[in-house]
Amino acid sequence: MKPEIYVHFHPDERVFVDRASEWVERAAFGHEMKRTDFLDPRQVDILMSLANRQMDIQVKLMGGYEQAERRRALIAPDYRMLDDEPEGIALIRIT
């Protein structure tokens, strides 16, 4: 991670910036796919700003339903077909 990227984020966000940057780099250069835990809206913004700096990756966001506040991200090289990838989210009904 280049230190100059930190000026764009709050100092408290550095740990997440480093983690998200690693996900992006592994997708771009290591050809790995990463399914994240649920992210809050600010974490999604950080991830998307880092992902937009890399031309060779794609990010698919999913939260179980369209207006979900917290969403998981699927980060992968741009040649992967993410439409067929399972979301990894199960809905449970308790009565």
Side-chain angles (χ1 to χ4, degrees):
M1 181 78 192
K2 296 180 181 177
E4 60 267 9
I5 195 74
Y6 290 130
V7 300
H8 300 289
F9 304 103
H10 191 274
D12 293 342
E13 299 171 330
R14 284 187 178 188
V15 172
F16 183 77
V17 169
D18 288 340
R19 189 174 340 141
S21 178
E22 182 178 339
W23 297 335
V24 168
E25 288 176 11
R26 284 184 176 194
F29 304 113
H31 304 280
E32 296 179 18
M33 186 171 69
K34 168 69 176 171
R35 182 177 285 113
T36 68
D37 291 333
F38 282 90
L39 306 174
D40 64 40
R42 178 61 184 154
Q43 290 172 326
V44 169
D45 289 342
I46 292 169
L47 174 61
M48 295 307 292
S49 69
L50 294 172
N52 287 335
R53 298 169 55 95
Q54 241 350 301
M55 299 295 289
D56 300 334
I57 68 161
Q58 58 183 322
V59 177
K60 178 181 176 184
L61 298 170
M62 55 221 148
Y65 62 98
E66 190 66 33
Q67 291 80 25
E69 180 176 346
R70 294 179 57 85
R71 296 182 282 175
R72 295 181 82 182
L74 188 58
I75 308 159
D78 61 351
Y79 58 82
R80 293 286 302 257
M81 295 298 295
L82 298 183
D83 293 337
D84 298 333
E85 290 292 330
E87 291 187 8
I89 299 172
L91 301 176
I92 300 172
R93 179 178 175 187
I94 300 174
T95 57

